[in-house]
Amino acid sequence: MRFRLRYLQHDLELSEGQFAVGRNASCQLSLDDPLVSRRHAILYVSRDGVLVEDLGSRNGVLVNGQRIEGRVDLRAGDKILIGGQELTLLHARDEGAQVGVMVGPPQAASKLTLPKMAAAVRQAEAPSSQPVDSEREPSMVRRADAFKLLGGVAEKALAMGRAAEAERLLASALADVIETTRQGRSVPASLVDQAAKFSAKLATATGKGGWADYVIELYAAQGRPCPASVIDELYQAMRKVTAIDLNRLRGYIEQLRGQLGGFGPAERFLFQRLEGLERLAALR
């Protein structure tokens, strides 16, 4: 029995072997999503079926809404959530009707990098027409410009209820910011606030708790409370998301608690609101 994997509008025909999913370009399916680890998961494809395994990723793998541990059998129709991206396992089409991308084992795999929409829009709208060099770190000015350009389009998409479109538009820019943060490099507070605002809005619009986790990770790295506007959006998101990383939120609050002595009245109030957010999250 043969299988295919549906992602967005693409069907990927799965050959027998291992099929890696992650942000790394070496993966058979490379996802441009800040919630996806470099090597996030592996599908083991055989004649009889497909197994999926989480490779110790930050945000885990969900199958039909349940986080998995170890290797799990998949059936046709199962929904696999990796970061903020949903994949669907399907039976292969009949030979005469196959439409898709053939993907073989790692040594002979044809790499497919999706989604490319955000990168295409960013290159089309950016002041410079020069191609983006993926090996060179973009300047902070260019990152801020990317958010200004993409943010306006994404805001309109969200206002029209097109959460998936907004998510695809912002994924690349958000991935750039969180990756820089994880590398321990300095990111301007204004850029962090922009990224956090959009991420919190995506959490509310999509119901994906990973976008709220993204916000917490950003501010934990900065060692400061979220601004009031971001906390307001997180409260909205907390009523809609399916799950968040409660341990990460609690760790962030404990980090801030250790700094309370140096906080002014405004920061102390923000801290109290974050404590309320933790209580709300714990009730889920």
Side-chain angles (χ1 to χ4, degrees):
M1 183 179 297
R2 296 179 58 188
F3 297 89
R4 57 194 167 101
L5 196 65
R6 176 165 295 171
Y7 175 60
L8 300 180
Q9 302 301 315
H10 300 265
D11 282 3
L12 290 71
E13 303 294 338
L14 298 177
S15 299
E16 292 183 31
Q18 295 184 14
F19 183 92
V21 182
R23 284 190 298 109
N24 196 299
S26 66
C27 294
Q28 278 69 52
L29 178 57
S30 179
L31 301 175
D32 192 2
D33 183 333
L35 304 179
V36 175
S37 298
R38 290 184 179 276
R39 282 181 61 83
H40 198 111
I42 281 188
L43 300 178
Y44 298 92
V45 184
S46 68
R47 182 183 301 273
D48 299 322
V50 180
L51 303 174
V52 63
E53 179 181 9
D54 179 15
L55 297 178
S57 62
R58 285 174 179 264
N59 295 307
V61 175
L62 279 69
V63 175
N64 298 327
Q66 299 297 317
R67 186 162 181 162
I68 67 168
E69 295 183 3
R71 296 185 185 182
V72 172
D73 283 301
L74 296 175
R75 294 181 297 180
D78 281 348
K79 306 289 186 182
I80 307 128
L81 187 66
I82 294 179
Q85 311 304 315
E86 185 177 84
L87 317 173
T88 304
L89 184 70
L90 301 170
H91 288 306
R93 303 173 189 271
D94 293 335
E95 291 293 331
Q98 287 185 358
V99 177
V101 182
M102 293 299 297
V103 183
Q107 64 271 19
S110 172
K111 308 298 189 301
L112 179 65
T113 302
L114 296 171
K116 294 184 178 178
M117 178 184 290
V121 172
R122 182 169 54 191
Q123 289 185 32
E125 295 185 337
S128 170
S129 61
Q130 296 298 316
V132 176
D133 182 353
S134 61
E135 298 299 321
R136 184 177 58 207
E137 187 73 6
S139 70
M140 292 300 176
V141 173
R142 186 170 182 181
R143 294 180 194 185
D145 288 344
F147 269 104
K148 289 177 183 177
L149 292 167
L150 293 170
V153 180
E155 289 274 19
K156 292 179 181 178
L158 289 170
M160 297 174 67
R162 298 175 179 173
E165 181 180 340
E167 188 176 38
R168 290 194 295 271
L169 285 167
L170 293 169
S172 184
L174 291 172
D176 188 34
V177 174
I178 198 66
E179 188 61 32
T180 302
T181 298
R182 289 170 180 169
Q183 292 172 357
R185 300 182 184 180
S186 177
V187 181
S190 59
L191 185 55
V192 168
D193 291 344
Q194 278 187 308
K197 179 188 75 171
F198 285 119
S199 188
K201 286 180 177 292
L202 287 176
T204 301
T206 66
K208 297 174 182 176
W211 288 116
D213 296 338
Y214 176 104
V215 176
I216 300 306
E217 184 176 353
L218 278 180
Y219 286 107
Q222 292 239 321
R224 63 184 175 98
C226 307
S229 59
V230 174
I231 294 177
D232 288 342
E233 191 64 49
L234 285 176
Y235 267 90
Q236 293 294 324
M238 209 58 63
R239 295 178 172 86
K240 298 184 178 182
V241 299
T242 54
I244 69 160
D245 189 338
L246 189 55
N247 288 333
R248 178 177 295 177
L249 176 58
R250 286 172 172 166
Y252 170 54
I253 290 172
E254 285 304 312
Q255 175 188 355
L256 294 179
R257 184 171 285 115
Q259 303 172 21
L260 274 177
F263 284 175
E267 290 173 314
R268 285 179 175 272
F269 177 68
L270 294 175
F271 175 75
Q272 290 172 357
R273 295 201 64 201
L274 286 168
E275 286 185 312
L277 187 70
E278 179 203 352
R279 290 191 292 271
L280 181 61
L283 294 174
R284 297 192 59 80

